Amino acid sequence: MGRKLLKVFIAILLLQLSHNSTWGVKKSFITLHKSDSDRQSLDFILPDPADELGAQCLQHSAYFCLMGYRIYKKEREREPREDDKHQFEILVRDRAHRLNWFSFKEEDKNTDYCCTHQVNMYVEHGQRNGLSPEEYLSKVFDFHLTTQKDVVFIKVRWVPEACTHVISQIGFGLGKLKIVGGRGLTKKFVLPPLGNSQKIQILTGYQIKTKLAFPWFVVWVICGEKPWLCPNTDGFASSSGGRNL
């Protein structure tokens, strides 16, 4: 089933690229930097059938899965407490699936895909930086309270048949854009089909910062699958543009 889906994906990609005859390459204003201490990123996995995590995500959602919130700088001087991990597990177990936050670790397959990965993310990026379990969870689940997040991270895989990058992970937050993998910004970038759409969104490198905006992702990806999480997205919708990039 996975191989068949991948072949269909590549076939659709090649077909859509063949209809796109104008590919002027502009000089990119994006520079690639290593992670700096001030960056923060709310990271998502996209359902790419050829990517290991993407294929696992696709078993649960055709839109997205949450990776977690990455923080690289101490935010408070709070000392870790003995029961932090236990308290976080209690809190996250009831909320994780609301935002497609799954643990794909073998030991969690029989526990509703929770909570080894989620707890590890809290320890590494929350507890280590002075955040309580509640404070770290608010970083993750209060995404709708602000539109002030830039695309700061994408992970791509190279598809030589189409001479194109497929975006398998994306992160929004603070910091310089970091791209992992691929052949540089002069090549094309695409998102895998999301939801019920068979349309593949095609971007040039210089469009990444402007087209892959957080308001667009919230309205058309997160709220597209989970509208009950988004009772008021007017502020997002006004700055998100259309469904197609």
Side-chain angles (χ1 to χ4, degrees):
M1 181 65 181
R3 287 180 177 271
K4 184 177 180 180
L5 187 59
L6 176 58
K7 288 180 180 179
V8 172
F9 174 38
I10 292 177
I12 294 172
L13 174 58
L14 290 171
L15 180 63
Q16 293 194 15
L17 289 174
S18 70
H19 289 301
N20 212 317
S21 58
T22 56
W23 277 104
V25 178
K26 296 184 179 180
K27 184 176 180 181
S28 173
F29 58 83
I30 301 171
T31 54
L32 307 184
H33 292 262
K34 294 182 178 179
S35 296
D36 54 85
S37 61
D38 291 329
R39 70 183 290 114
Q40 296 187 14
S41 184
L42 182 62
D43 292 346
F44 298 90
I45 304 165
L46 299 182
D48 174 10
D51 176 77
E52 182 180 358
L53 287 178
Q56 293 184 78
C57 175
L58 190 57
Q59 302 300 311
H60 302 272
S61 171
Y63 283 84
F64 74 96
C65 294
L66 178 68
M67 175 70 75
Y69 199 99
R70 290 191 168 102
I71 306 170
Y72 299 92
K73 184 178 181 180
K74 194 91 168 177
E75 295 207 341
R76 289 182 52 198
E77 293 304 321
R78 176 185 182 273
E79 292 297 323
R81 298 177 184 173
E82 187 175 342
D83 66 339
D84 274 348
K85 292 200 295 185
H86 178 66
Q87 291 300 320
F88 183 81
E89 181 172 346
I90 292 174
L91 293 171
V92 78
R93 185 173 291 280
D94 291 335
R95 302 181 66 183
H97 290 192
R98 291 181 59 202
L99 205 54
N100 292 349
W101 198 5
F102 304 108
S103 173
F104 300 128
K105 293 182 178 297
E106 189 67 30
E107 59 266 34
D108 291 325
K109 287 185 177 179
N110 295 323
T111 57
D112 208 19
Y113 297 92
C114 192
C115 301
T116 305
H117 169 69
Q118 293 91 334
V119 171
N120 288 345
M121 288 295 291
Y122 164 64
V123 171
E124 182 176 355
H125 295 282
Q127 186 191 58
R128 181 178 295 178
N129 290 306
L131 298 182
S132 68
E134 294 83 358
E135 288 169 332
Y136 183 76
L137 275 180
S138 72
K139 293 274 191 181
V140 174
F141 288 95
D142 290 345
F143 67 90
H144 59 288
L145 296 182
T146 176
T147 62
Q148 300 304 310
K149 287 184 173 71
D150 296 320
V151 56
V152 296
F153 168 73
I154 63 171
K155 180 181 177 182
V156 301
R157 65 177 179 85
W158 177 246
V159 181
E161 301 95 322
C163 195
T164 300
H165 302 107
V166 176
I167 300 174
S168 58
Q169 293 182 31
I170 187 167
F172 301 93
L174 304 173
K176 300 292 185 179
L177 174 63
K178 179 180 180 180
I179 300 177
V180 175
R183 303 293 178 88
L185 291 169
T186 60
K187 306 298 183 182
K188 296 180 285 291
F189 292 76
V190 302
L191 294 170
L194 302 176
N196 297 322
S197 174
Q198 292 300 309
K199 184 174 177 61
I200 295 175
Q201 309 290 351
I202 305 172
L203 304 166
T204 52
Y206 77 95
Q207 292 178 309
I208 292 173
K209 289 281 283 187
T210 55
K211 293 293 187 179
L212 295 181
F214 186 58
W216 173 85
F217 190 85
V218 170
V219 171
W220 300 115
V221 182
I222 296 178
C223 303
E225 181 182 22
K226 299 176 178 292
W228 55 89
L229 289 180
C230 313
N232 182 12
T233 57
D234 292 343
F236 283 89
S238 63
S239 57
S240 69
R243 180 181 296 274
N244 297 328
L245 297 175

